[in-house]
Amino acid sequence: MNRVELELYLNDTLQTAQFRDYCPNGLQVEGRSEIKKIASGVTASLAFLEAARDWGADAVLVHHGYFWKNEDARITGMKRKRLGLLIGHDISLFAYHLPLDAHPELGNNAQLGKLLGFADDGGRFGPDQLGWLGAPAQPMTLAALAAHVETQLGRQPLMLGDPGRQVSRVAWCTGGAQGFFEAAIAAGADVYISGEVSEPTQHLAMESGVGYLAAGHHATERGGARALGEHVAERFGLEHRFFDMPNPA
């Protein structure tokens, strides 16, 4: 399909105009006009780009792209290598940050909730209503939920709070959204799941009595790019492959 056609479809599907983000959403690096093979991944790292290039991708689709607010604008070092690979092989880079977190079906939060078997009750909280609320398939302890998260994500989450606390209402927001913890507490959650953790998070969990699971920034955000890549591949007859580059963070 044509690159411009794909860009317009992605921008419309993810409603990019509704978000004030820390980076440009959409086409960040322009490559060849015809797209037959698209690779998806969490972050446009050099290792990911090399894997996509070797597979023969015409375009790559990621959650974490480039040109973040307040970053050094010079094209040197790591940035020069990444951009050099894309431009040198005529590969387009599509990147969607907050719009991919928020999409009600293909987004990171929707996909994490689906993977963990949470029933979405339609509750939302936090900036831009990015945080989700719902319930586990059945009430369980915080320790049991942590074990379930580990099984589904393939990595042990950091658990803060009373392991024996009963959990019937869950709040979650993928990635580096530990700052939404207080909003999750105010929304009535028994536990909040995100990707990262900060020093104050421990105190907030202990003093509020609400559990916290830091399940990994990368691990909690693998779903969105893959789901979006699969979606456009099926809709437009493209060949798609998701590259899950190992990342312990």
Side-chain angles (χ1 to χ4, degrees):
M1 69 179 302
N2 181 269
R3 182 193 65 245
V4 175
E5 181 185 0
L6 178 59
E7 179 186 11
L8 292 174
Y9 178 80
L10 288 170
N11 290 349
D12 181 63
T13 299
L14 297 177
Q15 295 292 290
T16 56
Q18 295 185 9
F19 296 87
R20 290 192 302 172
D21 212 336
Y22 314 104
C23 61
N25 287 294
L27 181 66
Q28 291 190 339
V29 178
E30 181 181 305
R32 61 183 65 100
S33 61
E34 192 66 21
I35 296 174
K36 297 180 180 179
K37 300 177 70 173
I38 186 166
S40 63
V42 178
T43 299
S45 65
L46 184 61
F48 165 76
L49 296 179
E50 289 173 339
R53 175 203 61 195
D54 294 345
W55 178 64
D58 302 303
V60 294
L61 172 63
V62 300
H63 180 49
H64 300 138
Y66 307 149
F67 314 116
W68 298 93
K69 184 179 179 180
N70 297 325
E71 77 172 20
D72 189 340
R74 293 174 297 177
I75 302 175
T76 60
M78 180 177 70
K79 184 186 292 185
R80 191 255 182 235
K81 291 180 180 178
R82 292 175 172 184
L83 291 174
L85 188 152
L86 288 166
I87 294 170
H89 292 86
D90 212 14
I91 299 172
S92 294
L93 168 64
F94 293 91
Y96 295 92
H97 187 231
L98 294 183
L100 189 56
D101 287 320
H103 193 274
E105 296 177 7
L106 303 172
N108 287 319
N109 285 322
Q111 292 296 311
L112 181 63
K114 181 179 178 181
L115 178 65
L116 296 178
F118 297 154
D120 172 24
D121 65 11
R124 299 292 184 266
F125 66 93
D128 293 319
Q129 299 292 286
L130 289 172
W132 285 42
L133 290 160
Q138 59 185 27
M140 62 180 70
T141 65
L142 178 60
L145 178 59
H148 174 61
V149 170
E150 180 177 0
T151 298
Q152 295 303 312
L153 294 183
R155 58 163 287 161
Q156 182 179 15
L158 174 65
M159 179 177 65
L160 304 178
D162 177 9
R165 179 187 174 98
Q166 288 295 312
V167 174
S168 59
R169 188 162 172 79
V170 180
W172 69 97
C173 190
T174 64
Q178 64 268 36
F180 293 8
F181 191 13
E182 287 187 88
I185 294 169
D190 299 310
V191 62
Y192 177 49
I193 302 172
S194 191
E196 298 185 14
V197 65
S198 299
E199 194 276 341
T201 312
Q202 160 73 357
H203 310 300
L204 188 54
M206 298 306 295
E207 294 174 27
S208 68
V210 176
Y212 185 90
L213 298 179
H217 194 134
H218 176 85
T220 58
E221 293 192 328
R222 287 183 297 207
R226 170 182 275 171
L228 185 59
E230 291 173 349
H231 172 76
V232 296
E234 181 178 359
R235 183 176 180 88
F236 296 107
L238 304 176
E239 190 173 350
H240 167 256
R241 182 171 175 181
F242 176 75
F243 290 88
D244 186 15
M245 314 309 293
N247 190 331

